[in-house]
């Protein structure tokens, strides 16, 4: 598994000094991801599709780190509207239902762009022997 920082090429990584993901030993820590692609918020008004897009971005970083969806051990979902929890949870279940990572969901006051309804974080773990988490 590669060590170090993984970039997605997003404009904010250089501007604000962070990496999309950091590989530290057997741990892969993915920064918060929203449904922003190419600088544009996708699926405005649709929390379910925004969640699928955000996790897709996060899982791309997980794979670049040499791990897989099956190695994901923790997810966090930050949801702006409590009414969207079911849609966000449904998307999470479709992606991780067979993996069953530890999961935290919280309602927040807002994200940096009003059109963003959810932000997600992912952590993956794979022992040096290559066994799944």
């Amino acid at each position: 598994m590669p060590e170090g920082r993984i970039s997605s090429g997003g404009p904010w990584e250089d501007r604000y000094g962070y990496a999309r993901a950091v590989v530290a030993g057997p741990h892969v820590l993915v920064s918060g991801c929203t449904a922003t692609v190419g600088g544009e918020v996708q699926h405005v008004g649709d929390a379910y599709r925004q969640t699928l897009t955000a996790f897709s971005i996060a899982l791309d970083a997980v794979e670049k780190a040499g791990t897989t969806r099956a190695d994901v051990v923790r997810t966090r979902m930050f949801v702006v509207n409590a009414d969207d929890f079911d849609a966000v949870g449904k998307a999470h279940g479709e992606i991780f239902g067979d993996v069953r990572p530890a999961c935290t969901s919280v309602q927040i006051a807002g994200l940096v762009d009003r059109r963003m309804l959810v932000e997600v974080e992912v952590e993956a773990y794979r022992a040096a022997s290559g066994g799944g988490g």
Side-chain angles (χ1 to χ4, degrees):
M1 197 159 66
E3 287 283 333
R5 273 75 178 146
I6 295 170
S7 175
S8 68
W12 300 292
E13 291 172 28
D14 285 336
R15 184 181 306 161
Y16 300 133
Y18 73 94
R20 170 58 53 214
V22 174
V23 180
H27 302 276
V28 178
L29 309 170
V30 181
S31 295
C33 298
T34 65
T36 303
V37 178
E40 291 298 320
V41 177
Q42 306 296 301
H43 315 298
V44 175
D46 188 335
Y48 169 78
R49 290 177 64 200
Q50 282 195 11
T51 304
L52 292 175
T53 300
F55 275 124
S56 175
I57 293 165
L59 288 173
D60 182 60
V62 165
E63 290 173 6
K64 286 180 181 176
T67 53
T68 69
R69 180 180 64 86
D71 297 310
V72 172
V73 295
R74 174 178 289 281
T75 59
R76 293 180 187 90
M77 298 178 292
F78 304 94
V79 182
V80 175
N81 302 311
D83 291 342
D84 289 334
F85 272 115
D86 190 55
V88 169
K90 177 182 175 190
H92 184 277
E94 289 175 8
I95 297 166
F96 296 108
D98 60 331
V99 177
R100 295 194 180 261
C103 177
T104 300
S105 301
V106 294
Q107 182 179 7
I108 58 172
L111 292 164
V112 297
D113 185 313
R114 267 182 219 166
R115 299 171 299 166
M116 296 173 180
L117 302 174
V118 62
E119 183 163 343
V120 303
E121 292 179 356
V122 171
E123 296 179 24
Y125 175 85
R126 181 162 40 181
S129 66

